[in-house]
Amino acid sequence: MTITRLITPEDAPALADLLRVNRDFLAPWDPLRSEDYFTADGQRAVIAADLQQYEQGSKLPHVILDDSGRVIGRITLNGIVRGPFQSCAMGYWVSASHNGRGFATKAVREIVRVAFEELGLHRVQAETLLHNVRSQRVLERNGFVRFGMAPEYLNIAGRWQDHAMYQVVNRSWATG
């Protein structure tokens, strides 16, 4: 069963509701957001920008679905670069009510398969806050390996924070 699918403008109200309900839960892991971000109109704008980048081939924005097909989070391949790099970065989140139930692990497995088998990428990178052990476990369960630490990498929760760097490489690529 597919647990992710391409985001659509029709997902805006459900995502806005989910983001409002999970605002405190997600706050320690997210950049500071404007109030508009938590509205259906704000989410429509985010989705429109994401789909424009999707059309340009630089992003793959998906939603994560529960067993009944309801939206419970997001997973995105960002900064898709072709040529000799053939790589991207991945970000994801799952609602508090679905956290710890395997949905993130399954979504990461599915989107990495898409990255390698459908997009033909060589590498997927993901970053986590140093203390985000649950997200690190999700990555490790999917074959990601920690390869470093980036000091003051992203502005999360209002301050520049260090991040653990993870990657998984598509081993089916022929070595030159």
Side-chain angles (χ1 to χ4, degrees):
M1 179 178 136
T2 300
I3 184 171
T4 76
R5 66 163 168 76
L6 186 66
I7 200 168
T8 69
E10 291 74 29
D11 293 319
L15 281 168
D17 288 344
L18 204 55
L19 288 164
R20 276 192 303 275
V21 168
N22 287 278
R23 190 172 187 165
D24 291 339
F25 173 72
L26 295 172
W29 319 110
D30 270 354
L32 296 178
R33 307 280 192 190
S34 70
E35 289 303 315
D36 189 52
Y37 182 81
F38 299 93
T39 68
D41 284 343
Q43 283 304 298
R44 272 190 275 283
V46 168
I47 292 167
D50 285 354
L51 289 174
Q52 183 176 19
Q53 290 178 60
Y54 167 71
E55 291 299 322
Q56 297 165 350
S58 63
K59 183 177 268 196
L60 183 63
H62 274 211
V63 288
I64 301 172
L65 309 171
D66 69 6
D67 297 331
S68 67
R70 238 181 23 239
V71 174
I72 59 167
R74 286 203 54 184
I75 188 165
T76 302
L77 299 179
N78 296 291
I80 298 171
V81 178
R82 297 301 185 162
F85 197 44
Q86 294 295 337
S87 187
C88 68
M90 177 184 67
Y92 56 90
W93 61 268
V94 175
S95 69
S97 62
H98 289 83
N99 210 267
R101 295 175 43 199
F103 288 101
T105 298
K106 290 176 193 169
V108 168
R109 184 174 305 120
E110 188 171 304
I111 207 79
V112 168
R113 183 199 59 75
V114 169
F116 290 168
E117 295 177 12
E118 296 178 25
L119 300 180
L121 296 177
H122 171 66
R123 178 179 166 276
V124 177
Q125 176 176 310
E127 309 82 21
T128 73
L129 289 167
L130 298 182
H131 60 282
N132 193 345
V133 176
R134 292 181 89 169
S135 191
Q136 292 167 16
R137 285 191 188 127
V138 165
L139 295 171
E140 290 164 356
R141 279 194 290 271
N142 280 288
F144 282 75
V145 176
R146 184 173 173 167
F147 69 93
M149 191 277 290
E152 300 180 30
Y153 185 68
L154 290 173
N155 193 314
I156 300 295
R159 62 188 177 90
W160 292 100
Q161 296 194 51
D162 300 346
H163 279 67
M165 310 295 286
Y166 284 81
Q167 71 175 11
V168 64
V169 173
N170 183 353
R171 296 290 174 201
S172 69
W173 272 68
T175 54

